[in-house]
Amino acid sequence: MSFADLGLSDELLKTVTDAGYTEPTPIQASAIPSVLMMRDIIGIAQTGTGKTAAFVLPMIDILAHGRSRARMPRSLILEPTRELAAQVAENFEKYGAGQKLSMALLIGGVSMGDQIKALEKGVDVLIATPGRLMDLFQRGNILLTGCSMLVIDEADRMLDMGFIPDIEEICTKLPKQRQTLLFSATMPPPIKKLADKFLENPKTIEVARPASTNINITQFVVPVAPQSFEKRKRLRQLLGQEEVRTAIIFCNRKTTVRELNKSLKQHGFRSGEIHGDMEQPQRLAELELFKRGDINILVASDVAARGLDIKGVSHVFNFDAPWHPDDYVHRIGRTGRGGATGTAYTFVAPDDAENLENIEKLTGQKIDRLELPAPAEEERPARRTRRDRAPRPVEVDVEATPAAEAVEDAPRARPARSRREEPRREQVQREQPRREDPREARNDDRRRDRRRPHQDETPDDGSWNGPIPDFLKVSFGI
Ligand code: ADP
Ligand code: MG
C-alpha cells in the first residue's frame, strides 16, 4: 500500500514524500480513505503508530475547499495537553505548507488575547485543550456552529485527565451534521460510551491489541535497591554501557525529576527536565533543546511527556516503576516509533513488585530481568555532612522525604495496596496530593474543579480494578 492509493491530493502526496514517509502506517492506510469519504472513525492504535497524520492529512484535503468565517472555526481538534496540541499544529504547518489554511492554537499558558484575535478572523482548524476552549466559549468569543469536523485525539488520556464531561459539553455545541473522528490507544468503557453517543455509524479501525506493547521495543526489568542514590548509580552504569543516543527517563514524582536531572548534570550528562511545574514556554524550550540534540537525555514526568512525539529516542528508562500499568505502555511507547527499534529499562525495587505484576498482567508478557554486575566505583563528589551540604545542591545520599513530594496530576489512580501493606498506605495518605502550581490548574483543569474525578464515575477503566484509595478523592479547588 502506498500513499498514492489513499485518495489524497497530488499536492499533499508531494508534501508527504518530502517529509520522508515512504508508506502509510496501518492506521493511516485504513483511516485516510474513510475520512476522505466523510465517515466517522474510531481509531484504536497504540502510541507511535502515526495517528496524527491519519487525521491531519485527510483534513487538509477536505478543508482545502470552502472558506472560514469570523469566529467560526471549520474544524476542531481536541488534545489533552498543550504539548500534544502544539505538536498537531506543527503537523498542520508541515503538511499544509502549500495550502492556505488558517489555524489557531487554543492552549493554556499562552496569551488569551492573541488567541482571541486569531479566532476573530476565522480559522479553518482550531486545535485546543478542552479547558481553554470551554473558557473561551463561556466568554462568548467562539462559536462552534460552523464546525463540521471534530477530532477527539488521545481519548484515553482525556479520560485520565477528567476531561470527558467537557468533551461531552463541547460535542453538544457542534452541529449535529458533522464528521467526528476519535483516536485512542485503548478503549475503556467510558470512551466507548462517548463514541456511542457522539459518533454516527463509525468505522472502527483497530491496528493493535489495546495496551499491547510494540514488538520493536526490547524491554528489561532492572532489579534495584530502593534508595535513590543506588538507583542513580545503576542508571549511570546503564547510561555508560549502553549506546544511548537519546533517552527519556521517567520518574513518578516531579521532585524526583528535578533531583535526577540535577544529579545527571553534575555527573557530566547532557540532560534536561520536563514536568508539570514548569511554565509552558519553559517546557517547550526544553523540548526544543532535546529535539535539536543540544541535550540527549530528558528526565520527565508522565503528565508532561505522555504522547509527545519525539523522534528517534533510542532508550526509555523508568527510573521509577510506574504506579499505573497503562503508564508503562505509554512511557515505553516513546521509543520504537515509526518502525525503529528501541530499548526500555524499568527499575524495580522490592516495593514495586506489585506494580510490575500489574504491568505484566496488562501487557500479557513477562519482561526479562537484567542482572547487572555491581556498578564500578565512580568518582563522585565527596560526601558532605548535612550542614556542609545545605547551601550547595550536590548529590544527596538520602531519600527525599516523601512528604515533600507531591503526586503529579492527582486524579490518576495510584493502585491501592493490599491489606498487608496497610502501614505503607497510611504513609501514602499523608502525602497529600496537591496541585503544586495553581496556574497550571487554572488553565486546563478549571472545568474539572467542579466535577468529580473520573475514577468516581468509571470504577472500571479496564486496566485497574482495585478500590480507589481515599487520598485520591480530592477536590481541585484553587
Ligand atoms: P501517535 O499519535 O499514534 O502516537 P504520531 O502521529 O505522533 O503517533 O507519529 C509517531 C511518529 O511516526 C512521528 O514521529 C511521525 O512523524 C512518524 N510517522 C507517522 N507516519 C509515518 C509514516 N507513514 N512513515 C514514517 N514515519 C511516520
Ligand atoms: Mg497521537
Side-chain angles (χ1 to χ4, degrees):
M1 172 80 72
S2 86
F3 272 108
D5 303 325
L6 304 181
L8 294 166
S9 67
D10 291 345
E11 196 166 8
L12 207 48
L13 286 179
K14 190 178 166 309
T15 329
V16 170
T17 316
D18 290 348
Y21 295 176
T22 46
E23 58 176 334
T25 65
I27 186 89
Q28 290 162 2
S30 317
I32 291 173
S34 303
V35 178
L36 288 171
M37 283 188 276
M38 313 307 282
R39 283 283 303 263
D40 280 6
I41 300 281
I42 298 175
I44 311 161
Q46 63 193 57
T47 44
T49 50
K51 292 189 289 294
T52 317
F55 62 84
V56 169
L57 295 177
M59 276 180 85
I60 290 174
D61 269 350
I62 291 170
L63 294 168
H65 313 282
R67 282 193 54 218
S68 57
R69 287 157 57 193
R71 285 208 234 168
M72 288 170 77
R74 295 172 62 205
S75 67
L76 170 65
I77 299 171
L78 294 174
E79 292 289 335
T81 66
R82 305 159 190 182
E83 283 83 1
L84 284 167
Q87 250 166 43
V88 171
E90 267 175 32
N91 271 265
F92 265 100
E93 265 168 9
K94 186 163 88 182
Y95 303 121
Q99 330 250 354
K100 284 193 210 77
L101 290 183
S102 59
M103 178 174 73
L105 191 59
L106 215 57
I107 53 178
V110 175
S111 140
M112 188 84 101
D114 291 349
Q115 295 177 343
I116 292 174
K117 247 187 262 160
L119 285 169
E120 285 288 341
K121 285 193 216 137
V123 292
D124 296 303
V125 187
L126 177 62
I127 306 166
T129 49
R132 185 47 81 95
L133 180 64
M134 291 303 294
D135 263 3
L136 253 87
F137 204 87
Q138 275 151 13
R139 292 167 184 229
N141 289 105
I142 191 166
L143 267 178
L144 295 177
T145 44
C147 197
S148 55
M149 202 166 185
L150 170 68
V151 179
I152 305 166
D153 194 20
E154 305 267 350
D156 50 352
R157 185 74 189 117
M158 300 274 201
L159 172 69
D160 289 343
M161 295 179 77
F163 282 145
I164 298 300
D166 284 343
I167 293 175
E168 293 210 358
E169 204 167 330
I170 292 167
C171 281
T172 61
K173 299 187 188 306
L174 268 78
K176 274 216 159 58
Q177 275 291 331
R178 60 154 197 269
Q179 185 178 15
T180 309
L181 318 175
L182 183 145
F183 292 92
S184 196
T186 58
M187 206 63 187
I191 302 292
K192 178 89 187 44
K193 236 166 72 191
L194 182 80
D196 288 345
K197 200 161 158 195
F198 293 106
L199 275 70
E200 228 179 277
N201 185 25
K203 177 174 171 182
T204 301
I205 301 166
E206 188 168 351
V207 301
R209 198 167 53 85
S212 66
T213 53
N214 185 330
I215 50 160
N216 293 330
I217 308 170
T218 313
Q219 304 166 56
F220 293 106
V221 158
V222 183
V224 291
Q227 298 86 350
S228 302
F229 72 94
E230 290 289 352
K231 290 168 78 173
R232 290 197 287 262
K233 220 192 261 179
R234 271 282 181 244
L235 178 68
R236 291 195 295 272
Q237 185 188 12
L238 279 167
L239 287 171
Q241 74 184 43
E242 281 279 315
E243 224 188 277
V244 178
R245 293 187 304 278
T246 41
I248 302 189
I249 304 175
F250 285 98
C251 307
N252 288 353
R253 292 184 171 95
K254 292 183 251 192
T255 340
T256 322
V257 170
R258 282 190 290 257
E259 282 171 7
L260 181 58
N261 180 31
K262 204 190 294 170
S263 157
L264 284 169
K265 283 207 268 206
Q266 278 166 356
H267 281 83
F269 291 97
R270 286 186 298 129
S271 67
E273 63 187 47
I274 182 165
H275 55 76
D277 265 359
M278 293 158 68
E279 295 284 356
Q280 176 70 355
Q282 231 182 329
R283 286 201 230 175
L284 292 175
E286 203 75 352
L287 204 59
E288 200 46 42
L289 289 180
F290 189 64
K291 282 185 171 174
R292 282 210 313 256
D294 293 349
I295 55 175
N296 72 329
I297 295 173
L298 193 60
V299 188
S301 63
D302 289 294
V303 171
R306 196 160 172 178
L308 287 184
D309 170 26
I310 300 161
K311 281 204 187 91
V313 176
S314 65
H315 287 71
V316 166
F317 292 88
N318 291 315
F319 187 76
D320 299 310
W323 288 317
H324 200 287
D326 262 356
D327 280 332
Y328 178 79
V329 179
H330 283 275
R331 285 179 180 189
I332 74 165
R334 304 299 105 232
T335 186
R337 286 165 93 82
T341 55
T343 311
Y345 290 102
T346 302
F347 285 10
V348 175
D351 255 8
D352 297 321
E354 200 177 318
N355 295 335
L356 177 61
E357 222 173 88
N358 290 327
I359 290 167
E360 293 185 328
K361 218 186 291 170
L362 179 74
T363 60
Q365 69 188 108
K366 192 152 168 61
I367 308 167
D368 286 340
R369 268 57 172 171
L370 185 78
E371 298 297 340
L372 286 169
E377 276 309 307
E378 306 168 298
E379 269 188 47
R380 48 194 305 278
R383 235 182 147 133
R384 286 155 189 273
T385 64
R386 202 168 264 281
R387 211 166 349 118
D388 289 336
R389 215 185 285 144
R392 234 191 98 201
V394 295
E395 174 114 51
V396 180
D397 277 3
V398 288
E399 282 280 283
T401 39
E405 301 181 345
V407 177
E408 187 169 50
D409 214 57
R412 185 128 190 91
R414 178 178 180 169
R417 296 187 176 265
S418 59
R419 276 204 179 280
R420 82 194 133 75
E421 284 176 293
E422 207 57 40
R424 200 190 141 84
R425 187 160 152 192
E426 289 296 308
Q427 182 202 339
V428 167
Q429 227 150 354
R430 283 196 303 274
E431 290 171 29
Q432 265 306 320
R434 61 191 161 91
R435 273 282 163 200
E436 288 195 333
D437 182 355
R439 280 160 307 203
E440 170 138 316
R442 213 167 28 233
N443 292 325
D444 289 346
D445 307 333
R446 175 172 287 182
R447 302 282 309 168
R448 204 194 317 166
D449 301 353
R450 293 169 225 142
R451 311 193 191 265
R452 295 173 305 161
H454 85 262
Q455 279 87 356
D456 285 352
E457 298 158 10
T458 58
D460 178 12
D461 71 359
S463 52
W464 178 254
N465 300 319
I468 308 297
D470 282 336
F471 73 91
L472 280 170
K473 293 183 178 142
V474 292
S475 74
F476 294 92
I478 47 165

